Amino acid sequence: RSCAARLRTLGALRGPPGGRRLPGREPRPALRSFSSEEVILKDYSVPNPSWNKDLRLLFDQFMEKCEDGSWKRLPSYKRIPAEKIQDFKTHLLDPKLVKEEQLSQTQLFTRSFDDGLGFEYVMFYSDVEKRMVCLFQGGPYLEGPPGFVHGGAIATMIDSTVGMCALMAGGVVVTANLNINYKRPIPLCSVVMINSQLDKVEGRKFFVSCNVQSVDEKTLYSEATSIFIKLNPAKSLT
């Protein structure tokens, strides 16, 4: 019922009243690839009207942890920043297969839904602990079994979280292996915590594990282990 109520209000409540900016929504200028027109990059890892009270409460708790610098919130946009795209182009993209105009139209899969309908999440990282925590609320467009989040959507968020953990620790990485054990289904519109930890590094291999738990940490929904490979700047796939 609360999920339906939130969805009914999304059309009217697209932002805070009076044009007030939420933390992290300061305008960031970027240049369109096809003109000199400036655009504003919206940070999607800050509260919006679709977030339920559990997600907002956890967000506030982690923002308090960020005050002493031990944790930091990672901003998230619909498009990967230009410098990151260039990193991946250097390592992976064959210019004969991928055209610039195609890249200009891309957007991040997990940010391709309107507020509240798909992936609502925010990530926090501790460099000292090499930990990444993702607070995730799965919207109604992510349904698999009736009333529950699709297993593929859960895998997407697990991969995104552990991958970001490896990236923050080691630079540009790609997924080599991801093993997930599903324990319980996640109800739609509920909030879970994806806790990931860098376990060890062997050469260019980064081993990361994680679990997906309820807000009160009493219910374990999934567990996962993963291996990421740090890309060698001296080599490419072209």
Side-chain angles (χ1 to χ4, degrees):
R1 183 177 59 184
S2 59
C3 177
R6 287 196 298 276
L7 291 176
R8 286 196 297 270
T9 63
L10 286 179
L13 298 175
R14 287 297 179 184
R20 177 175 54 84
R21 292 190 191 120
L22 290 169
R25 291 217 176 168
E26 291 77 10
R28 291 187 49 175
L31 294 179
R32 293 185 187 272
S33 60
F34 49 84
S35 77
S36 60
E37 178 186 357
E38 285 194 346
V39 295
I40 301 301
L41 294 181
K42 175 183 174 183
D43 186 352
Y44 285 85
S45 67
V46 294
N48 66 59
S50 75
W51 285 25
N52 70 26
K53 63 180 182 179
D54 288 333
L55 186 52
R56 288 174 178 270
L57 179 61
L58 286 171
F59 176 86
D60 290 342
Q61 291 175 354
F62 273 89
M63 287 301 291
E64 290 180 2
K65 293 183 178 182
C66 294
E67 292 178 358
D68 63 3
S70 59
W71 288 79
K72 63 180 177 181
R73 180 184 66 84
L74 303 187
S76 178
Y77 309 99
K78 282 198 172 184
R79 294 204 61 200
I80 297 174
E83 63 272 16
K84 295 297 182 182
I85 292 178
Q86 187 58 50
D87 286 342
F88 279 91
K89 285 174 65 177
T90 300
H91 290 91
L92 293 176
L93 298 183
D94 186 340
K96 294 179 293 185
L97 300 177
V98 181
K99 300 179 180 179
E100 286 294 330
E101 55 265 31
Q102 292 174 317
L103 291 178
S104 70
Q105 298 172 2
T106 62
Q107 66 178 23
L108 200 62
F109 169 53
T110 53
R111 294 302 186 190
S112 59
F113 297 90
D114 288 339
D115 290 352
L117 298 180
F119 301 92
E120 292 294 336
Y121 65 95
V122 54
M123 295 185 187
F124 292 89
Y125 182 68
S126 169
D127 187 55
V128 173
E129 300 180 31
K130 295 296 185 288
R131 286 183 57 206
M132 183 74 69
V133 174
C134 176
L135 313 177
F136 168 54
Q137 174 183 308
Y141 280 20
L142 303 185
E143 185 177 59
F148 295 95
V149 178
H150 193 288
I154 299 169
T156 294
M157 287 311 305
I158 289 175
D159 187 38
S160 297
T161 304
V162 294
M164 189 59 69
C165 184
L167 185 148
M168 293 295 292
V172 181
V173 296
V174 291
T175 309
N177 179 272
L178 179 63
N179 291 311
I180 302 174
N181 291 320
Y182 294 97
K183 303 291 187 178
R184 293 173 180 270
I186 298 175
L188 284 174
C189 299
S190 66
V191 176
V192 297
M193 298 177 60
I194 305 174
N195 302 282
S196 68
Q197 173 78 51
L198 178 65
D199 296 322
K200 63 179 179 178
V201 179
E202 293 181 355
R204 290 167 49 219
K205 294 182 178 179
F206 288 73
F207 296 79
V208 186
S209 60
C210 85
N211 61 65
V212 183
Q213 293 182 310
S214 58
V215 172
D216 61 9
E217 300 183 355
K218 294 181 179 180
T219 303
L220 177 64
Y221 292 109
S222 302
E223 292 178 314
T225 58
S226 59
I227 302 174
F228 290 85
I229 305 299
K230 182 176 182 179
L231 297 182
N232 187 343
K235 299 179 180 180
S236 69
L237 300 183
T238 60

